[in-house]
Amino acid sequence: MPDDKSPDGTEGARRKRLPSSERREEFIAKAVEFFAEEGFESSTRGLARRLGVTQPLLYRYFPSKDDLISEVYDAVYVGRWRPEFERLIADRSRPLEDRLNAFYGVYTEVIFNREWMRIYLFSGLKGVDINRRYMGLVRRRILEPIVAEARAEEGLPERPATDAEIEFAWVMHGGIFYYGVRDLIYESAVSADKTEVIGDAVAALLFGLRRRFGMEDRKAPGGPGRGPACG
Amino acid sequence: MPDDKSPDGTEGARRKRLPSSERREEFIAKAVEFFAEEGFESSTRGLARRLGVTQPLLYRYFPSKDDLISEVYDAVYVGRWRPEFERLIADRSRPLEDRLNAFYGVYTEVIFNREWMRIYLFSGLKGVDINRRYMGLVRRRILEPIVAEARAEEGLPERPATDAEIEFAWVMHGGIFYYGVRDLIYESAVSADKTEVIGDAVAALLFGLRRRFGMEDRKAPGGPGRGPACG
DNA sequence: GGATTAATTTTTCACTCGATAAATAACGCC
DNA sequence: GGCGTTATTTATCGAGTGAAAAATTAATCC
């Protein structure tokens, strides 16, 4: 007997043909859904079933399961990054607190999404390097700018962020991320509203950074303007 | 041909027998290691290989793979909880900031551990309910006490923590947790030292809670002493 | 409308999975 | 030292896995 049922489920209704590029897009989009929900260990047959298509067809478009998974990573990590993230943080026409609230508002619009979060966590556990690269992106494009803007708003001289500053920014950033995890992955009732939670976190972030500046800018009042990275 | 090699790998060295209870313990301990590293989808044959034992032997001790996995959960979630967690937070002979630094010092000794973190994340993605129960435990035994202690130290009247307060405490707690994730799962260089990071986070946590108290204790100066939970 | 091209399915392979049943061999007891 | 108990292994089943090869069928072109 055939090892997969009629792709559509309903007998007789033969699948419409699609041009190669469209089909590919469709496959990737559904693969994001599918692997996000079921994990990357789930079978290509399961994905094909959800697509209403036979399993070997996948291999016409992707040489292997791993290649398909790479496309999934790209669609999520690269495809959903928005250039306005960086602009929002750096826009000095508004107070930093406003900017950060605005930034985390739109950033969480992207990442507070079941697909995004689950792909992120699954891929992190797999140890694929795109994950490490994404964290590098967050550090360079989000956290370092935030620290720099906070220094600027305090009237402190420019200088590369210290490890302790970045680490603290990571804790707050991770706290906001984890808020999404609780909501979307653990589905534990997250009752307070997002704007308020972000507002509290942003206030604490700025408080913590100013506190750090106060602790570290004593010994170097003028500071080595553009000294080598600390640590 | 036999479907598993000689369990030990090295030929001839027949496996020593162990009494039932000892063997069981050994299996669970190694299963924690194994599934933490490879994920719960990994094969019982892989685990057996690592144990130097044949795969069907596992089924002498656990009726199914899922039952073994449940034992793994118990060993990690229940077995590593330390009663001193709650005592440290509630010990009013010291300032709260000290207590929280001490608490997060020992708490992170337990959870900043590759096994613990990976089991936690894997099980969270699987959606097993022990995960939700653990988060309930954290809320009741850690976060609510922290908020209560913060109120007490401010001289405010006792009352159940509001959702916004708990949510903020979760963000800080999650930020610390995520610090461990970055270190142990994503293995992104975490350079600053743990004590300092915790110190910064604790300071920000207390700042944020006091800020919240100031925002919410205006309209209810005496407050409904033991009113129903907010929200 | 028949030939060409390319999208899709059918069939199949070699292997892995969780689990069961039966055979074997190490240990304790007397 | 033989015997019974039971820990452990051997062998096997049926279902599912990623992948390749070949057969089929829908769309396109002239």
Side-chain angles (χ1 to χ4, degrees):
Chain A
M1 67 198 78
D3 99 335
D4 297 287
K5 304 286 178 276
S6 167
D8 198 88
T10 73
E11 211 66 38
R14 276 275 166 277
R15 189 78 196 157
K16 183 100 168 288
R17 292 197 169 190
L18 288 184
S20 177
S21 67
E22 253 178 79
R23 186 60 103 187
R24 207 182 136 83
E25 296 282 314
E26 186 196 356
F27 281 6
I28 294 173
K30 272 290 203 309
V32 170
E33 272 182 40
F34 178 74
F35 287 126
E37 214 48 53
E38 319 279 346
F40 291 117
E41 319 248 13
S42 272
S43 73
T44 54
R45 280 179 177 78
L47 170 58
R49 201 175 311 125
R50 192 178 286 210
L51 278 159
V53 138
T54 55
Q55 177 248 1
L57 185 57
L58 294 171
Y59 287 84
R60 185 115 201 138
Y61 293 87
F62 310 96
S64 75
K65 185 182 180 182
D66 274 344
D67 287 283
L68 170 55
I69 290 176
S70 290
E71 300 281 354
V72 168
Y73 292 148
D74 276 1
V76 173
Y77 283 100
V78 184
R80 300 192 185 181
W81 183 272
R82 301 234 280 265
E84 65 196 281
F85 291 163
E86 302 152 72
R87 276 201 303 270
L88 277 166
I89 294 171
D91 167 24
R92 295 203 178 168
S93 70
R94 312 155 66 189
L96 183 54
E97 185 160 6
D98 288 1
R99 290 182 251 162
L100 292 183
N101 274 298
F103 161 70
Y104 275 111
V106 312
Y107 188 64
T108 55
E109 265 173 35
V110 171
I111 73 168
F112 282 14
N113 167 281
R114 195 170 158 88
E115 280 177 16
W116 195 98
M117 293 241 146
R118 290 181 69 92
I119 296 283
Y120 182 82
L121 292 172
F122 275 126
S123 66
L125 284 164
K126 271 184 67 172
V128 292
D129 73 4
I130 192 162
N131 221 283
R132 246 182 296 274
R133 276 189 282 137
Y134 184 79
M135 300 195 52
L137 195 70
V138 170
R139 176 178 175 136
R140 264 175 294 111
R141 303 280 177 82
I142 297 178
L143 304 182
E144 287 177 358
I146 286 177
V147 174
E149 292 299 317
R151 284 189 68 83
E153 202 169 67
E154 291 298 295
L156 292 167
E158 270 188 62
R159 78 154 185 220
T162 66
D163 285 339
E165 286 155 5
I166 290 294
E167 224 49 61
F168 179 73
W170 260 124
V171 166
M172 300 307 305
H173 186 88
I176 291 173
F177 169 79
Y178 194 69
Y179 171 70
V181 171
R182 281 190 308 123
D183 187 12
L184 295 162
I185 309 291
Y186 298 114
E187 284 167 344
S188 83
V190 174
S191 40
D193 84 311
K194 197 183 83 167
T195 313
E196 194 177 42
V197 172
I198 289 177
D200 287 354
V202 164
L205 168 57
L206 290 175
F207 161 83
L209 286 179
R210 281 193 283 258
R211 179 169 167 278
R212 274 253 136 248
F213 297 155
M215 292 167 68
E216 285 172 10
D217 279 284
R218 296 279 162 256
K219 59 188 69 158
R226 47 181 58 223
C230 307
Chain B
M1 66 197 80
D3 98 338
D4 296 286
K5 306 285 177 275
S6 164
D8 199 87
T10 72
E11 211 68 37
R14 276 277 165 275
R15 190 75 198 160
K16 183 97 167 290
R17 294 201 165 184
L18 288 185
S20 176
S21 67
E22 252 178 79
R23 187 58 107 185
R24 208 183 134 81
E25 296 282 315
E26 185 196 359
F27 281 6
I28 295 173
K30 273 287 200 313
V32 170
E33 270 183 41
F34 178 74
F35 287 126
E37 214 49 53
E38 319 278 346
F40 292 117
E41 318 249 13
S42 272
S43 72
T44 54
R45 280 180 176 80
L47 171 58
R49 201 176 310 125
R50 192 177 285 208
L51 278 158
V53 136
T54 56
Q55 178 249 2
L57 186 56
L58 294 171
Y59 287 84
R60 186 118 202 132
Y61 293 88
F62 311 96
S64 74
K65 185 184 180 182
D66 274 344
D67 287 283
L68 170 54
I69 290 176
S70 290
E71 300 282 354
V72 168
Y73 292 148
D74 276 2
V76 173
Y77 283 101
V78 184
R80 301 193 184 180
W81 183 271
R82 301 233 281 264
E84 66 197 281
F85 291 162
E86 302 152 72
R87 275 202 302 270
L88 277 166
I89 294 171
D91 168 25
R92 296 203 177 167
S93 70
R94 312 155 65 190
L96 183 55
E97 184 160 6
D98 288 1
R99 289 181 251 160
L100 292 182
N101 274 297
F103 161 70
Y104 276 111
V106 312
Y107 188 64
T108 55
E109 266 174 34
V110 171
I111 73 168
F112 282 14
N113 167 280
R114 194 169 159 89
E115 279 176 17
W116 195 98
M117 292 241 146
R118 291 179 69 91
I119 296 283
Y120 182 81
L121 292 172
F122 276 126
S123 67
L125 284 165
K126 271 184 66 172
V128 293
D129 73 6
I130 192 163
N131 221 284
R132 246 180 297 273
R133 276 190 281 137
Y134 184 78
M135 301 196 52
L137 195 70
V138 169
R139 176 177 176 138
R140 263 176 294 111
R141 304 280 177 82
I142 296 178
L143 304 182
E144 287 178 358
I146 286 177
V147 174
E149 293 298 317
R151 283 189 69 84
E153 201 168 66
E154 291 298 294
L156 293 167
E158 270 187 62
R159 79 154 183 218
T162 66
D163 286 337
E165 287 155 5
I166 290 294
E167 224 49 61
F168 179 73
W170 260 123
V171 167
M172 300 307 306
H173 186 88
I176 291 173
F177 170 79
Y178 194 70
Y179 171 70
V181 171
R182 281 191 305 125
D183 187 10
L184 295 163
I185 309 289
Y186 298 115
E187 285 166 344
S188 84
V190 175
S191 41
D193 84 310
K194 196 183 83 167
T195 313
E196 194 178 44
V197 172
I198 289 177
D200 288 353
V202 164
L205 168 57
L206 290 175
F207 161 83
L209 287 180
R210 281 193 283 259
R211 178 169 167 279
R212 273 254 138 245
F213 297 155
M215 292 166 68
E216 286 174 8
D217 278 283
R218 295 280 161 257
K219 58 190 70 158
R226 45 182 57 223
C230 305

